[in-house]
Amino acid sequence: MADQSSIKPNTDFNLKEISPSIGARTATSHGGITSATDLVETTLFLYMRIVRAEDLPSIRGRNTRGPYVEVRVGALKTTTMCFTGNSNPEWNQVFALEISRIQEPTLEILVKDKIPRYGDILGKLSFAISEIPTRVPTDSSLAPQWYWLEDQKGTRLGKLMLSIWIGTQADVAFPEARHLESGMVNAYDVLNTHSQIYLPPRIWCLRVDLIQAQDLVDEDIAGNSKVFVQATLGSLTFRSKLVNKNEGNPKWNEDMFFAVLEPFDQHLFLSVEQGTMNNHRSIGKCSIPLKNADKRLDGAPSDAKWHNLERPDNITEVENNARAIINSRLNMRLSLDGGYHLFDEDPCFSSDFNPTVKRLWRSNIGTFELGILNASGLPAMKGGNRTDAYCVAKYGPKWVRTRTIVDSLNPKWNEQYSWDVYDPCTFITIAVFDNGYLHEVQGDHIAMDAKIGKVRINLSEMKTNRIYAYFFPLTELHPSGLKKMGEIQLAFRFCCPKMGNLLNIYRMPKLPRLHFSNPLSRTQLSGLRKQTIMLLSSRMSKTEPAWRREVVSYMLDSDERLWSMRRGRADFERIKAVMSGFVALHTQYNNICEWKNWASSSIVGVIVSFLIFVPRIMLIGILFGLILDIIFQYLKRPSLLSHVDLQVSQVNAVSLDELEEEFDPIPSKFEDRIIRLRYDRLRIVLGRLSAEMGKVATKVEKLQSYVTWQDPIATLIFMVLCLISGIVTLITPIQLIIWFCFMYLLIHPLFRSPMPTLFENWVSRMPSKLDSMI
């Protein structure tokens, strides 16, 4: 097994603060007003909207052409869709080209024939780029105009409706525009390069409260009288617990939970099954439309209803689809709970805590604005040293996707988005992907959007109304080690107009009220999260352009976290760091008790004695000490926002074998020898942990045995000592007792015996449950 370091030397994973020439800083320096693009570099684009054509020439009668439009600026060109057999086509497509990439003074628009016979050009137009008007975002859209198409001889060959203007990335046409840089992409795949904002439909929690059944028919399956209920919604199936049939009247009193999307156009199928989980038969079933379920926003239970069960064996086509109704009934409560928040992200990095129903949301406290500027040093994800990169950002229910920059390892997006913020203790996730659906797939390779890297930003670390601009390293942990996949440049700020609303959030619970009045278990929340991710992946994969399942999965961290030596070591080091303060305090206490420094031991003795006899100033001293410590910590605060910490993550110390184990799926793909070695290593680690836990449990059990009469003599002595201590406490001031105990601990080592104390000797002799273990 490999045992070398997993990180390449001289790789810079640090966060870098930058000062890009974004609109906000330019406007501030000139005393201007910010705009919708003030967190990005304002970029000018040449926009062309091709609407439709009329009266195109035909060769043999009408509709014998395959017309399309080619837009050309120098060597950059792209085309519209082609409508075969149509002399009056309508395209209504928008094209854009970054002004800085224009090298030629002329824009050419050619109407061509995909089925050429006497020449493929039906007509052309030319425009001088210097004469094209500029449109600012506040202007209304530019009205398209008719232009006559002419051949080289000046003969008019039909007319074309279009509009041309110069605008910025804030233009309303920007999201739908096809960029000339993506001209190599097939016209039918160009939709996959567009930017997009997506708001998924609301997801509700469907609660199925199974109560009981009546008059079930006995199928007598090998004398088995156990029954359970099988609930199916879409592709999900859940089973209740097995209960005794109880003469046809079983009781469950069990809840099942499903995540469901609006609109509620599905049916819930319920089937009462008799037998075991592996061998069973339906003895009654029913179907319930979800739209009939009660909607509730609080913890009040919905009304229980009886549902007639149909006998599956009696459903025949001969009876003209009539369903034979039996007397069996199923009693249950069915409700759509809109007061829960169904997590789609990892709860540790959630961007949202609002419930499903919007009228239960808290008031928003501000706005988070994000400018996605550019990326640099991206790896080549395809053959030919190419990458087609786009960026995805998610905060709350809102997903945004930038346009795809085709064939560039240093893409520039310069797109700005904003989100309403309802809780400052949330995270926004930004990831970079390679678009794998723009070119033909070779062989059996399955097209996928490959992940490049991900960044998380914690809003609670940010100062309000301040602009942050960083180069974030894109890191990705692979079985071969941690790799830097490039850097992404982001500018962002958290705008909060009223500080009172922000401060008020800190007194409120994170989750909605229903999570506390009618709580769900951790297992139920985890199951609902898996269903939520599955529903979102399915729904978003059907949009145009489609959000790929692998993209949604990566953004939401849907992979289940398995055992990892690296993470186990990292969590252990975190616990050590948390406990280091107590360890240091205990060490200092031992130094004081052993009088290693006469001055400090004497001063501590005087101060503690003073606090014991004047206890009122103790709390004041503690509070002022905390205030001083907070002030000193402010001077040492980090200057940058938190990011990937290689030391905390224990990536520096991990071996390749441990990484292979971390990424190993279930069941394992490795041979028995490697699995056996890893299993033995895990046994050693857990054996040491178990031994330490056993020591702690033994000490606690020894202390408990003072009152449990496991050692009658020791318990009797302890009871007598308690009686004597109570009498002494009644006649002696408590301050004097505490002072005496403290002075006893401060006895100088010269007057202290090297043997264990009386109490230590006594505790070591007490029994524990370790005596009963094999």
Side-chain angles (χ1 to χ4, degrees), residues 380-388 407 434 439:
M381 307 297 291
K382 300 185 181 75
N385 197 34
R386 61 178 299 155
T387 294
D388 306 320
D407 192 16
D434 173 61
H439 309 282

Side-chain angles (χ1 to χ4, degrees), residues 254-268:
E254 181 180 357
D255 287 336
M256 295 182 182
F257 294 92
F258 293 88
V260 294
L261 279 168
E262 293 182 341
F264 310 116
D265 53 1
Q266 292 179 292
H267 283 68
L268 175 67

Side-chain angles (χ1 to χ4, degrees), residues 374-394:
N374 57 68
S376 61
L378 300 184
M381 307 297 291
K382 300 185 181 75
N385 197 34
R386 61 178 299 155
T387 294
D388 306 320
Y390 67 91
C391 209
V392 174
K394 180 190 182 297

